[in-house]
């Protein structure tokens, strides 16, 4: 028999989001042509959401632009960011590729001469590095919002797919999957700058989840394919969570647009 979600857990999630929404740390850009990249990343964003320079410990994420091989100044700032546990994305300009100290190769973006900054790719890397902690910044920075939501949807969908396969007791996975889906919906709301309280939450969840009867589908399929049930269960948990996340993104995007008009 499936267990219900503890209301105190839901209250804890709402409280966590309210605290996270108070995080006003900006995205910082430093290095050559920093001012130009600031303008491109800050387009249509809230004042102060992106700035040039600043101490790594005072910002949400650092984008460091490098002109060729890393200099001593580059290394000093990147080391300081690592010490402060501040996420970093490096942007390499020029025709050659160099190893960037203190930055994973997957967090380095190539910027070829004459092509301009690849803003969308930079935003995707930033979103991947920030994860859930980036919702407050995404609410103030449109360029970051969609890539962050996509990263969150993929993360929670994958987690639910794995959890559905790993938990064998019928119904025991319900709280885990539901809590993850609830957390995803609330994070997407935060990324759009939409505040959700206890009164609005049931209505919002009912609106977003209308017609998404994934558990009913899962039960029917599992009854028909008992041998491969674990694989089907994981696939449906993944697909169901992804569909819910995409529906939530559309819903909160509409709500935010209506509030802004």
């Amino acid at each position: 028999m499936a267990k219900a979600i503890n209301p105190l857990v839901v209250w804890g999630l709402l409280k966590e989001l309210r605290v996270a929404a108070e995080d006003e740390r900006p995205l910082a850009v430093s290095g050559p042509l920093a001012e130009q990249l600031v303008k491109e990343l800050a387009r249509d964003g809230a004042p102060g959401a992106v700035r040039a320079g600043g101490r790594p410990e005072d910002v949400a994420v650092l984008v460091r632009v490098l002109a060729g091989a890393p200099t001593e100044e580059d290394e000093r700032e990147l080391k300081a960011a690592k010490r402060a546990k501040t996420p970093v994305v490096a942007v390499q300009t020029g025709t050659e590729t160099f190893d960037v100290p203190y930055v994973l190769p997957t967090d380095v973006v190539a910027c070829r001469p004459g092509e301009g900054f690849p803003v969308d790719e930079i935003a995707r890397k930033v979103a991947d590095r920030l994860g859930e902690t980036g919702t407050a910044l995404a609410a103030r920075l449109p360029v970051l919002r969609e890539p962050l939501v996509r990263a969150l949807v993929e993360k929670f969908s994958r987690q639910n797919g794995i959890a559905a396969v790993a938990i064998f007791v019928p119904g025991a996975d319900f709280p885990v999957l539901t809590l993850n889906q609830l957390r995803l919906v609330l994070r997407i709301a935060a990324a759009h700058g939409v505040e959700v309280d206890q009164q609005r939450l049931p209505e919002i969840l009912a609106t977003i989840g209308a017609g998404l009867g994934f558990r009913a589908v899962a039960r029917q399929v599992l009854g028909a394919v008992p041998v491969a049930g674990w694989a089907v269960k994981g696939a449906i948990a993944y697909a169901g969570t992804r569909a819910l996340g995409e529906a939530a993104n559309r819903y909160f995007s509409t709500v935010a647009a209506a509030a802004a008009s």
Side-chain angles (χ1 to χ4, degrees), residues 176-217:
V176 176
L177 302 185
T178 303
L179 187 60
N180 260 349
Q181 290 178 339
L182 177 59
R183 191 180 189 93
L184 172 61
V185 169
L186 292 175
R187 284 294 181 182
I188 292 174
H192 283 282
V194 178
E195 185 176 353
V196 178
D197 56 25
Q198 286 176 298
Q199 284 70 42
R200 293 187 64 200
L201 184 57
E203 175 191 349
I204 288 171
L205 292 178
T207 301
I208 296 171
L212 300 178
F214 295 107
R215 288 193 178 87
V217 173

Side-chain angles (χ1 to χ4, degrees), residues 4-14 198:
I5 295 294
N6 188 330
L8 291 177
V9 174
V10 178
W11 170 248
L13 286 177
L14 292 171
Q198 286 176 298

Side-chain angles (χ1 to χ4, degrees), residues 4 26 38 46 67 74 79 89 100-101 105 110 130 132 143 146 169 214 240 245:
V38 165
D74 292 329
K79 185 177 182 179
V89 171
V100 181
L130 286 173
E132 288 186 69
V143 72
E146 282 302 316
V169 180
F214 295 107

Side-chain angles (χ1 to χ4, degrees), residues 81 149 222 243 252:
V149 169
L222 288 172
F252 289 118

Side-chain angles (χ1 to χ4, degrees), residues 78-152:
L78 294 173
K79 185 177 182 179
K82 183 177 177 62
R83 225 181 250 142
K85 297 182 179 178
T86 299
V88 176
V89 171
V91 180
Q92 276 196 332
T93 61
T95 57
E96 295 185 63
T97 300
F98 300 91
D99 291 334
V100 181
Y102 308 107
V103 180
L104 293 174
T106 51
D107 296 329
V108 178
V109 178
C111 178
R112 301 304 176 192
E115 296 182 3
F117 285 112
V119 176
D120 289 343
E121 186 179 356
I122 293 170
R124 283 196 300 272
K125 296 289 186 184
V126 169
D128 289 342
R129 291 293 287 116
L130 286 173
E132 288 186 69
T133 64
T135 51
L137 184 57
R140 297 182 291 137
L141 205 55
V143 72
L144 184 60
R145 193 168 303 142
E146 282 302 316
L148 184 75
V149 169
R150 286 197 297 270
L152 292 177

Side-chain angles (χ1 to χ4, degrees), residues 26-66:
L27 181 157
V29 183
S30 63
L33 302 176
E35 293 287 353
Q36 177 59 38
L37 183 53
V38 165
K39 290 179 182 177
E40 296 187 42
L41 290 172
R43 189 169 293 120
D44 299 323
V50 185
R51 75 182 188 199
R55 299 192 311 164
E57 55 267 37
D58 295 333
V59 303
V61 60
L62 171 67
V63 177
R64 179 71 183 182
V65 183
L66 295 86

